[in-house]
PDB file of all heavy atoms in Angstrom:
ATOM      1  N   LEU O 654       5.107  49.919 -40.969  1.00  0.00           N
ATOM      2  CA  LEU O 654       5.372  50.913 -39.928  1.00  0.00           C
ATOM      3  C   LEU O 654       5.563  52.300 -40.530  1.00  0.00           C
ATOM      4  O   LEU O 654       5.179  53.303 -39.912  1.00  0.00           O
ATOM      5  CB  LEU O 654       6.625  50.517 -39.132  1.00  0.00           C
ATOM      6  CG  LEU O 654       6.532  49.214 -38.327  1.00  0.00           C
ATOM      7  CD1 LEU O 654       7.867  48.896 -37.666  1.00  0.00           C
ATOM      8  CD2 LEU O 654       5.427  49.302 -37.284  1.00  0.00           C
ATOM      9  N   ALA O 655       6.140  52.361 -41.727  1.00  0.00           N
ATOM     10  CA  ALA O 655       6.387  53.651 -42.365  1.00  0.00           C
ATOM     11  C   ALA O 655       5.118  54.253 -42.961  1.00  0.00           C
ATOM     12  O   ALA O 655       5.017  55.478 -43.098  1.00  0.00           O
ATOM     13  CB  ALA O 655       7.448  53.493 -43.456  1.00  0.00           C
ATOM     14  N   GLN O 656       4.128  53.402 -43.295  1.00  0.00           N
ATOM     15  CA  GLN O 656       2.887  53.875 -43.913  1.00  0.00           C
ATOM     16  C   GLN O 656       1.678  53.305 -43.169  1.00  0.00           C
ATOM     17  O   GLN O 656       0.903  52.519 -43.710  1.00  0.00           O
ATOM     18  CB  GLN O 656       2.842  53.467 -45.387  1.00  0.00           C
ATOM     19  CG  GLN O 656       3.985  54.043 -46.211  1.00  0.00           C
ATOM     20  CD  GLN O 656       3.968  53.546 -47.644  1.00  0.00           C
ATOM     21  OE1 GLN O 656       3.827  52.357 -47.912  1.00  0.00           O
ATOM     22  NE2 GLN O 656       4.091  54.477 -48.581  1.00  0.00           N
ATOM     23  N   PRO O 657       1.489  53.717 -41.931  1.00  0.00           N
ATOM     24  CA  PRO O 657       0.404  53.137 -41.120  1.00  0.00           C
ATOM     25  C   PRO O 657      -0.987  53.435 -41.665  1.00  0.00           C
ATOM     26  O   PRO O 657      -1.946  52.733 -41.330  1.00  0.00           O
ATOM     27  CB  PRO O 657       0.610  53.791 -39.748  1.00  0.00           C
ATOM     28  CG  PRO O 657       1.347  55.066 -40.034  1.00  0.00           C
ATOM     29  CD  PRO O 657       2.242  54.743 -41.195  1.00  0.00           C
ATOM     30  N   GLN O 658      -1.115  54.467 -42.487  1.00  0.00           N
ATOM     31  CA  GLN O 658      -2.433  54.829 -43.014  1.00  0.00           C
ATOM     32  C   GLN O 658      -3.062  53.708 -43.849  1.00  0.00           C
ATOM     33  O   GLN O 658      -4.280  53.688 -44.047  1.00  0.00           O
ATOM     34  CB  GLN O 658      -2.345  56.118 -43.851  1.00  0.00           C
ATOM     35  CG  GLN O 658      -1.580  55.998 -45.160  1.00  0.00           C
ATOM     36  CD  GLN O 658      -0.082  56.211 -45.007  1.00  0.00           C
ATOM     37  OE1 GLN O 658       0.452  56.152 -43.900  1.00  0.00           O
ATOM     38  NE2 GLN O 658       0.595  56.477 -46.112  1.00  0.00           N
ATOM     39  N   HIS O 659      -2.228  52.776 -44.325  1.00  0.00           N
ATOM     40  CA  HIS O 659      -2.760  51.661 -45.115  1.00  0.00           C
ATOM     41  C   HIS O 659      -3.308  50.545 -44.230  1.00  0.00           C
ATOM     42  O   HIS O 659      -3.980  49.619 -44.733  1.00  0.00           O
ATOM     43  CB  HIS O 659      -1.674  51.103 -46.038  1.00  0.00           C
ATOM     44  CG  HIS O 659      -1.183  52.094 -47.059  1.00  0.00           C
ATOM     45  ND1 HIS O 659      -2.037  52.867 -47.803  1.00  0.00           N
ATOM     46  CD2 HIS O 659       0.072  52.434 -47.441  1.00  0.00           C
ATOM     47  CE1 HIS O 659      -1.336  53.648 -48.620  1.00  0.00           C
ATOM     48  NE2 HIS O 659      -0.054  53.412 -48.410  1.00  0.00           N
ATOM     49  N   GLY O 660      -3.015  50.587 -42.945  1.00  0.00           N
ATOM     50  CA  GLY O 660      -3.580  49.604 -42.020  1.00  0.00           C
ATOM     51  C   GLY O 660      -2.964  48.228 -42.090  1.00  0.00           C
ATOM     52  O   GLY O 660      -3.574  47.246 -41.657  1.00  0.00           O
ATOM     53  N   HIS O 661      -1.735  48.132 -42.620  1.00  0.00           N
ATOM     54  CA  HIS O 661      -1.073  46.831 -42.736  1.00  0.00           C
ATOM     55  C   HIS O 661       0.040  46.698 -41.706  1.00  0.00           C
ATOM     56  O   HIS O 661       0.856  47.610 -41.528  1.00  0.00           O
ATOM     57  CB  HIS O 661      -0.481  46.652 -44.131  1.00  0.00           C
ATOM     58  CG  HIS O 661      -1.514  46.623 -45.222  1.00  0.00           C
ATOM     59  ND1 HIS O 661      -2.595  45.773 -45.191  1.00  0.00           N
ATOM     60  CD2 HIS O 661      -1.635  47.329 -46.373  1.00  0.00           C
ATOM     61  CE1 HIS O 661      -3.342  45.968 -46.264  1.00  0.00           C
ATOM     62  NE2 HIS O 661      -2.789  46.918 -46.993  1.00  0.00           N
ATOM     63  N   ASN O 662       0.079  45.575 -41.043  1.00  0.00           N
ATOM     64  CA  ASN O 662       1.164  45.261 -40.118  1.00  0.00           C
ATOM     65  C   ASN O 662       1.265  43.747 -40.049  1.00  0.00           C
ATOM     66  O   ASN O 662       0.439  43.086 -39.423  1.00  0.00           O
ATOM     67  CB  ASN O 662       0.886  45.849 -38.735  1.00  0.00           C
ATOM     68  CG  ASN O 662       2.047  45.654 -37.777  1.00  0.00           C
ATOM     69  OD1 ASN O 662       2.369  44.534 -37.392  1.00  0.00           O
ATOM     70  ND2 ASN O 662       2.694  46.749 -37.406  1.00  0.00           N
ATOM     71  N   VAL O 663       2.269  43.202 -40.719  1.00  0.00           N
ATOM     72  CA  VAL O 663       2.369  41.750 -40.862  1.00  0.00           C
ATOM     73  C   VAL O 663       2.603  41.064 -39.521  1.00  0.00           C
ATOM     74  O   VAL O 663       2.157  39.928 -39.324  1.00  0.00           O
ATOM     75  CB  VAL O 663       3.472  41.382 -41.882  1.00  0.00           C
ATOM     76  CG1 VAL O 663       4.859  41.765 -41.373  1.00  0.00           C
ATOM     77  CG2 VAL O 663       3.425  39.888 -42.213  1.00  0.00           C
ATOM     78  N   ALA O 664       3.258  41.737 -38.572  1.00  0.00           N
ATOM     79  CA  ALA O 664       3.473  41.124 -37.258  1.00  0.00           C
ATOM     80  C   ALA O 664       2.148  40.957 -36.522  1.00  0.00           C
ATOM     81  O   ALA O 664       1.849  39.879 -35.987  1.00  0.00           O
ATOM     82  CB  ALA O 664       4.454  41.961 -36.432  1.00  0.00           C
ATOM     83  N   ILE O 665       1.348  42.006 -36.490  1.00  0.00           N
ATOM     84  CA  ILE O 665       0.033  41.908 -35.842  1.00  0.00           C
ATOM     85  C   ILE O 665      -0.821  40.855 -36.531  1.00  0.00           C
ATOM     86  O   ILE O 665      -1.508  40.060 -35.877  1.00  0.00           O
ATOM     87  CB  ILE O 665      -0.669  43.277 -35.850  1.00  0.00           C
ATOM     88  CG1 ILE O 665       0.003  44.211 -34.819  1.00  0.00           C
ATOM     89  CG2 ILE O 665      -2.160  43.137 -35.551  1.00  0.00           C
ATOM     90  CD1 ILE O 665      -0.598  45.591 -34.748  1.00  0.00           C
ATOM     91  N   HIS O 666      -0.776  40.804 -37.847  1.00  0.00           N
ATOM     92  CA  HIS O 666      -1.574  39.846 -38.616  1.00  0.00           C
ATOM     93  C   HIS O 666      -1.234  38.412 -38.226  1.00  0.00           C
ATOM     94  O   HIS O 666      -2.121  37.613 -37.905  1.00  0.00           O
ATOM     95  CB  HIS O 666      -1.335  40.062 -40.110  1.00  0.00           C
ATOM     96  CG  HIS O 666      -2.174  39.197 -40.989  1.00  0.00           C
ATOM     97  ND1 HIS O 666      -3.262  39.686 -41.678  1.00  0.00           N
ATOM     98  CD2 HIS O 666      -2.106  37.874 -41.302  1.00  0.00           C
ATOM     99  CE1 HIS O 666      -3.822  38.707 -42.377  1.00  0.00           C
ATOM    100  NE2 HIS O 666      -3.140  37.580 -42.157  1.00  0.00           N
ATOM    101  N   GLU O 667       0.058  38.089 -38.244  1.00  0.00           N
ATOM    102  CA  GLU O 667       0.447  36.706 -37.984  1.00  0.00           C
ATOM    103  C   GLU O 667       0.276  36.324 -36.518  1.00  0.00           C
ATOM    104  O   GLU O 667      -0.072  35.172 -36.211  1.00  0.00           O
ATOM    105  CB  GLU O 667       1.897  36.465 -38.438  1.00  0.00           C
ATOM    106  CG  GLU O 667       2.151  36.731 -39.919  1.00  0.00           C
ATOM    107  CD  GLU O 667       1.196  35.977 -40.849  1.00  0.00           C
ATOM    108  OE1 GLU O 667       0.664  34.925 -40.443  1.00  0.00           O
ATOM    109  OE2 GLU O 667       0.967  36.442 -41.975  1.00  0.00           O
ATOM    110  N   PHE O 668       0.485  37.259 -35.611  1.00  0.00           N
ATOM    111  CA  PHE O 668       0.291  36.926 -34.201  1.00  0.00           C
ATOM    112  C   PHE O 668      -1.188  36.860 -33.837  1.00  0.00           C
ATOM    113  O   PHE O 668      -1.551  36.216 -32.848  1.00  0.00           O
ATOM    114  CB  PHE O 668       1.076  37.878 -33.308  1.00  0.00           C
ATOM    115  CG  PHE O 668       2.530  37.500 -33.230  1.00  0.00           C
ATOM    116  CD1 PHE O 668       3.463  38.124 -34.031  1.00  0.00           C
ATOM    117  CD2 PHE O 668       2.947  36.484 -32.386  1.00  0.00           C
ATOM    118  CE1 PHE O 668       4.804  37.755 -33.988  1.00  0.00           C
ATOM    119  CE2 PHE O 668       4.277  36.098 -32.335  1.00  0.00           C
ATOM    120  CZ  PHE O 668       5.214  36.724 -33.129  1.00  0.00           C
ATOM    121  N   ALA O 669      -2.035  37.502 -34.623  1.00  0.00           N
ATOM    122  CA  ALA O 669      -3.481  37.298 -34.450  1.00  0.00           C
ATOM    123  C   ALA O 669      -3.825  35.840 -34.753  1.00  0.00           C
ATOM    124  O   ALA O 669      -4.666  35.235 -34.067  1.00  0.00           O
ATOM    125  CB  ALA O 669      -4.265  38.241 -35.357  1.00  0.00           C
TER     126      ALA O 669
END
Side-chain angles (χ1 to χ4, degrees):
L654 296 176
Q656 299 176 313
Q658 68 274 17
H659 297 314
H661 296 307
N662 185 293
V663 66
I665 287 180
H666 184 105
E667 301 307 335
F668 280 97

